[in-house]
């Protein structure tokens, strides 16, 4: 047994984007007299492992928080974790701290493409992927994922055609997929690598959710294909499982010396020369908490099965077949084809979710629910969610009757 405790931590009184009412009220209409279910953003509600707390407290005890550096133990922790958890072998020089996954993505885009050139992504996908492309004045090419049997599929023929027609320079992959929580199969990844190799397309693989995998699920990092095609850049982070996204401890794994040097040069241009003072000890400590992670993952998977079972009577709602991360992706297109109505009713019931406009495009009739919460709160959410769904049905029926 680890020290994982599925207890919701009250963050409403600190400067936390997930639960702070001051922050949420800038965007949403919150009813202070009703329980709030803020299940939109990508961090969970559970306290970090005791080892991480102790490491931070130890650093906090030295009351000067000046410029930091990356000690040898930082690299050793990353090398050990990647070998033991994913059978990936790296050296110190292969690791680049990037101060955030999207920051790493932007570095990649700037280093290996020019303004106006095409960058490919699959859609729907985590919104900042699209922002990274647009904000660097590149051309966004979206490959619409096929939604079949509550899973996503890639049309490989179309995928390759888009690469050729649009002269794509970089492909941005998300594995496990966000918002779907889907681990891409080895066979699909192999096809993607072969296509990108054929057309000399660099691949950036966002794998920040790779530590949160359901049992009986096999995760394959794109790094496993480097012997076949070395134009691969992998972005990973302990932030998602261990819950310290505020520390910006994403790092890049890249063995190709030319890619590596170009990314390091791009990092120098940003002048981000000092790591987060608390992020360094937090990462080192987190990567000693494999037992905690195992218990956390089991709890999240149980939460997933609970909500699927609890909503199975909602016949006009379909739930994505998830096998990673702490998200549940629901399709409400059979309930209503008016996303604004759905969102309006949810918000009126103090339910805040992430919707299609948060995921670039092609997710108009979907909502993402964060289930990284305690079971008691999840049960209360399900009750309130069912009530809100019934309200949506009533409004839809009324509109249909009038028409």
């Amino acid at each position: 047994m680890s020290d994982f405790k599925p207890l919701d931590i009250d963050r409403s009184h600190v400067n936390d984007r997930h639960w702070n009412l001051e922050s949420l009220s800038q965007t949403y209409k919150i009813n202070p007299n009703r329980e709030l279910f803020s299940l939109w953003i990508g961090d969970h509600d559970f306290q970090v492992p005791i080892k991480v707390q102790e490491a931070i407290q130890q650093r906090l005890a030295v009351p000067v928080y000046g410029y930091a550096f990356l000690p040898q133990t930082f690299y050793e922790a990353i090398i050990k974790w990647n070998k033991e958890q994913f059978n990936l072998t790296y050296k110190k020089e292969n690791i680049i701290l990037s101060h955030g996954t999207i920051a790493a993505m932007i570095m990649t885009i700037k280093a290996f493409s020019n303004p106006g050139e095409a960058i490919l992504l699959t859609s729907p996908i985590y919104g900042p992927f699209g922002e990274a492309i647009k904000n660097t004045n590149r051309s966004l090419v979206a490959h619409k994922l096929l939604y079949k049997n509550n899973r996503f599929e890639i049309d490989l023929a179309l995928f390759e055609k888009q690469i050729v027609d649009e002269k794509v320079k970089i492909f941005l992959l998300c594995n496990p997929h966000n918002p779907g929580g889907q681990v891409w199969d080895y066979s699909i990844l192999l096809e993607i690598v072969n296509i990108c190799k054929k057309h000399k397309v660099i691949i950036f693989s966002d794998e920040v959710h790779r530590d949160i995998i359901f049992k009986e699920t096999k995760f394959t990092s794109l790094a496993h294909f480097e012997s076949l095609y070395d134009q691969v850049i992998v972005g990973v982070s302990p932030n998602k499982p261990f819950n310290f996204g505020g520390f910006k401890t994403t790092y890049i794994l890249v063995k190709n010396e030319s890619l590596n040097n170009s990314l390091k040069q791009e990092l120098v241009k940003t002048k981000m020369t000092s790591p987060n003072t608390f992020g360094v000890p937090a990462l080192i400590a987190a990567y000693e908490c494999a037992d905690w992670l195992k218990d956390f993952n089991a709890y999240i998977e149980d939460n997933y099965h609970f909500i699927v079972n609890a909503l199975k009577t909602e016949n006009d709602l379909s739930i994505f077949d998830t096998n990673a991360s702490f998200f549940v992706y629901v399709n409400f297109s059979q309930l209503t084809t008016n996303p604004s109505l759905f969102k309006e009713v949810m918000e009126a019931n103090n339910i805040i979710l992430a919707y299609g406009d948060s995921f670039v495009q092609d997710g108009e009739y979907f909502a993402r629910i964060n289930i990284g919460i305690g079971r008691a709160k999840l049960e209360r959410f399900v009750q309130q969610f069912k009530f809100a769904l019934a309200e949506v049905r009533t409004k839809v029926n009324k509109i249909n009757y009038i028409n």
Side-chain angles (χ1 to χ4, degrees):
M1 291 292 292
S2 71
D3 58 46
F4 171 73
K5 295 181 175 62
L7 303 175
D8 296 308
I9 302 298
D10 180 11
R11 295 184 276 164
S12 61
H13 60 290
V14 296
N15 62 322
D16 179 276
R17 290 170 60 197
H18 195 145
W19 289 103
N20 184 276
L21 291 181
E22 178 185 349
S23 174
L24 293 171
S25 296
Q26 295 175 18
T27 306
Y28 308 100
K29 295 178 182 179
I30 307 298
N31 181 351
N33 300 316
R34 193 172 187 182
E35 183 173 9
L36 172 66
F37 294 97
S38 177
L39 308 179
W40 63 286
I41 200 169
D43 59 29
H44 59 80
D45 273 7
F46 309 129
Q47 68 178 19
V48 303
I50 298 299
K51 280 188 178 181
V52 174
Q53 296 179 47
E54 291 173 346
I56 295 171
Q57 289 165 354
Q58 184 177 1
R59 178 62 188 89
L60 188 66
V62 181
V64 177
Y65 313 116
Y67 299 113
F69 79 106
L70 297 176
Q72 181 63 25
T73 49
F74 174 84
Y75 294 101
E76 291 172 352
I78 290 174
I79 291 168
K80 183 172 182 285
W81 184 263
N82 278 277
K83 183 62 178 176
E84 292 181 350
Q85 300 296 319
F86 303 100
N87 196 29
L88 296 172
T89 302
Y90 286 100
K91 298 178 181 178
K92 177 180 177 180
E93 56 265 30
N94 305 141
I95 302 166
I96 306 172
L97 183 67
S98 63
H99 303 267
T101 309
I102 300 304
M105 192 176 293
I106 291 172
M107 285 166 51
T108 300
I109 291 171
K110 287 184 174 181
F112 306 112
S113 69
N114 297 309
E117 291 185 323
I119 312 296
L120 176 66
L121 51 72
T122 59
S123 62
I125 202 166
Y126 180 52
F129 276 52
E131 294 168 13
I133 297 171
K134 294 177 181 178
N135 292 341
T136 53
N137 298 312
R138 271 62 172 178
S139 174
L140 190 158
V141 180
H143 176 83
K144 183 178 180 179
L145 294 169
L146 303 174
Y147 182 65
K148 294 183 178 181
N149 300 318
N150 295 324
R151 300 281 288 174
F152 281 136
E153 294 181 8
I154 295 176
D155 182 338
L156 292 168
L158 177 59
F159 179 84
E160 183 170 13
K161 185 177 187 299
Q162 289 177 294
I163 286 176
V164 174
D165 290 350
E166 303 293 341
K167 297 180 175 61
V168 168
K169 295 294 181 180
I170 301 169
F171 169 53
L172 305 179
L173 173 68
C174 193
N175 184 33
H177 180 266
N178 178 11
Q182 174 177 331
V183 172
W184 292 108
D185 293 340
Y186 176 93
S187 59
I188 294 297
L189 294 175
L190 179 59
E191 294 281 1
I192 288 171
V193 169
N194 282 328
I195 291 171
C196 289
K197 179 181 180 180
K198 179 180 177 181
H199 300 288
K200 299 180 180 178
V201 174
I202 291 173
I203 309 173
F204 181 95
S205 183
D206 172 358
E207 300 181 4
V208 300
H209 294 272
R210 66 173 186 167
D211 291 293
I212 313 171
I213 304 296
F214 292 0
K215 61 186 177 183
E216 310 303 327
T217 299
K218 172 66 175 177
F219 171 79
T220 301
S221 170
L222 210 70
H224 282 292
F225 298 94
E226 283 181 310
S227 60
L228 173 64
Y229 183 54
D230 68 354
Q231 302 295 293
V232 170
I233 300 162
V234 177
V236 297
S237 174
N239 295 346
K240 292 301 178 185
F242 296 109
N243 217 19
F244 45 77
F247 288 160
K248 302 299 181 184
T249 56
T250 294
Y251 55 90
I252 306 169
L253 298 172
V254 54
K255 289 184 178 179
N256 179 287
E257 187 175 352
S258 176
L259 297 185
N260 190 294
N261 289 337
S262 294
L263 287 168
K264 286 177 179 176
Q265 290 171 15
E266 202 61 46
L267 187 62
V268 169
K269 293 177 186 178
T270 67
K271 296 297 181 181
M272 291 190 293
T273 56
S274 183
N276 184 292
T277 298
F278 301 104
V280 172
L283 180 146
I284 295 170
Y287 278 172
E288 296 176 355
C289 298
D291 289 343
W292 184 98
L293 180 63
K294 182 179 179 180
D295 290 343
F296 167 76
N297 284 351
Y299 193 87
I300 293 299
E301 184 171 359
D302 284 347
N303 268 1
Y304 171 73
H305 292 305
F306 167 79
I307 195 171
V308 169
N309 185 64
L311 296 177
K312 66 182 180 181
T313 56
E314 308 297 321
N315 296 323
D316 45 12
L317 197 74
S318 61
I319 301 177
F320 199 87
D321 186 9
T322 294
N323 55 7
S325 200
F326 45 82
F327 300 133
V328 169
Y329 201 45
V330 297
N331 180 346
F332 57 80
S333 60
Q334 291 182 293
L335 172 60
T336 177
T337 54
N338 185 341
S340 296
L341 173 63
F342 186 91
K343 185 176 181 179
E344 175 187 306
V345 172
M346 291 300 140
E347 188 172 331
N349 283 276
N350 261 20
I351 295 173
I352 304 175
L353 307 178
Y355 297 98
D357 54 3
S358 298
F359 303 107
V360 182
Q361 61 188 61
D362 303 316
E364 294 87 345
Y365 308 120
F366 290 84
R368 191 191 72 179
I369 305 169
N370 183 334
I371 59 168
I373 57 179
R375 179 60 59 80
K377 182 181 287 185
L378 183 60
E379 290 174 354
R380 296 195 301 275
F381 162 72
V382 167
Q383 291 179 346
Q384 196 148 313
F385 187 52
K386 285 186 171 184
F387 180 86
L389 291 174
E391 188 174 333
V392 173
R393 291 187 194 99
T394 299
K395 288 181 177 290
V396 168
N397 290 335
K398 184 176 181 180
I399 292 171
N400 291 339
Y401 177 79
I402 293 174
N403 292 338

